[in-house]
Amino acid sequence: MNPIVKAKGLRKAYGSFEALKGIDIEVGQGEVLCIIGPSGSGKSTFLRCINQLEVVDGGALWVCGELVGYRRVGNKLYEISEREIARQRLMTSMVFQGFNLFPHKTVVENIMEGPVQVLKTPCKQAEAAALELLARVGLAQKCNAYPIELSGGQQQRVAIARALAMKPAVMLFDEPTSALDPELVGEVLAVMRDVAAAGMTMIVVTHELGFAREVADRVIFMDRGEIIESGSPGEILKDPRHSRTREFISAVLK
């Protein structure tokens, strides 16, 4: 089976700073990949390249078998149009550290917005689907609330429901619990466990090593724009081969 996400020699730089230094990785259908590593290691940049929030500087990236951001004609690559980029971006949904909910819309309206405006789903159908997703994330009773009336954990669960409403092939999570108070982290991780159990392909940047140990099929450790090592949660989190991985895990667990 072809990988749902594939990166080959992926590079991204900001001026003289190399954020990604030739990333090679494949992610299979239904796989949960957790990415760990220190700040500035390129984890979030990699997700942003997949979601086309960043333009890659070298190498190639495929999502669902499509070359991201470019069209190949013979031996030449041509940048695709903004409209084509928007279409490709629908293959993924991203959940950020911040919740980015529309403050002037209710919870159910926030979830409906993408399907109605982008996917052209009829309003009644979009509303029914949104209510189902709210029930799935345990917030059916909050459907008519506004974001300001919700806790941070509840807002992030709404953000996950909103991302799921777009029916992506891949869910990208960029440290979704890092902005939350410690007592609210568990409720968001529980929803993510449910999403993973349903078979969704997920790439998760996280410092929650317990979640990675429990849910991930594979864990990669990144540092300074490179993948240092990759393996099962048991291999990477319990018995890492590389000293940099061991140092990072020890620091996180202190």
Side-chain angles (χ1 to χ4, degrees):
M1 183 180 293
N2 291 328
I4 199 163
V5 175
K6 178 181 178 180
K8 187 70 174 175
L10 193 67
R11 294 183 175 275
K12 176 64 184 178
Y14 301 96
S16 61
F17 174 70
E18 285 188 284
L20 298 176
K21 302 176 181 177
I23 298 296
D24 293 318
I25 194 167
E26 295 185 358
V27 182
Q29 175 75 44
E31 183 176 6
V32 178
L33 173 70
C34 283
I35 305 176
I36 63 172
S39 297
S41 60
K43 308 182 303 295
S44 295
T45 300
F46 178 50
L47 290 193
R48 291 175 66 85
C49 287
I50 296 172
N51 201 40
Q52 299 200 63
L53 295 174
E54 301 286 354
V55 178
V56 303
D57 295 322
L61 179 65
W62 292 264
V63 177
C64 298
E66 286 193 37
L67 182 63
V68 167
Y70 295 90
R71 181 177 66 257
R72 184 182 296 277
V73 179
N75 292 323
K76 293 186 176 181
L77 292 178
Y78 298 89
E79 289 187 15
I80 62 176
S81 68
E82 288 295 327
R83 185 173 182 176
E84 289 176 291
I85 288 173
R87 179 191 60 79
Q88 285 191 340
R89 195 175 281 138
L90 292 175
M91 297 185 290
T92 63
S93 279
M94 192 159 174
V95 178
F96 300 88
Q97 296 177 28
F99 320 123
N100 300 327
L101 300 177
F102 295 116
H104 62 290
K105 292 183 178 291
T106 65
V107 164
V108 72
E109 288 170 344
N110 264 278
I111 298 171
M112 291 171 59
E113 183 74 9
V116 170
Q117 299 298 329
V118 180
L119 302 181
K120 306 304 179 185
T121 305
C123 284
K124 286 188 177 181
Q125 182 180 334
E127 182 179 19
L131 292 172
E132 286 184 12
L133 285 168
L134 280 172
R136 181 174 171 184
V137 301
L139 291 172
Q141 76 283 7
K142 298 290 187 179
C143 63
N144 293 317
Y146 287 88
I148 197 172
E149 301 175 276
L150 305 181
S151 70
Q154 289 172 332
Q155 289 188 59
Q156 192 63 295
R157 283 189 277 160
V158 172
I160 293 172
R162 180 182 58 184
L164 287 169
M166 297 302 289
K167 299 180 180 178
V170 184
M171 287 277 285
L172 308 172
F173 294 85
D174 188 8
E175 299 197 32
T177 61
S178 66
L180 300 178
D181 292 332
E183 65 269 21
L184 302 178
V185 169
E187 65 189 57
V188 174
L189 294 180
V191 170
M192 293 173 64
R193 289 187 189 94
D194 175 71
V195 174
M200 174 64 71
T201 305
M202 296 168 55
I203 303 177
V204 185
V205 170
T206 185
H207 281 96
E208 299 289 342
L209 300 188
F211 174 82
R213 186 179 298 111
E214 178 186 347
V215 179
D217 297 301
R218 184 163 41 125
V219 176
I220 65 173
F221 172 71
M222 290 184 66
D223 191 19
R224 300 176 185 177
E226 299 177 298
I227 295 176
I228 304 303
E229 59 180 305
S230 172
S232 70
E235 291 169 333
I236 302 301
L237 301 177
K238 291 182 180 179
D239 190 25
R241 298 183 300 277
H242 203 287
S243 60
R244 281 154 76 183
T245 314
R246 291 194 294 271
E247 290 166 5
F248 172 79
I249 292 173
S250 295
V252 170
L253 293 178
K254 279 183 179 178

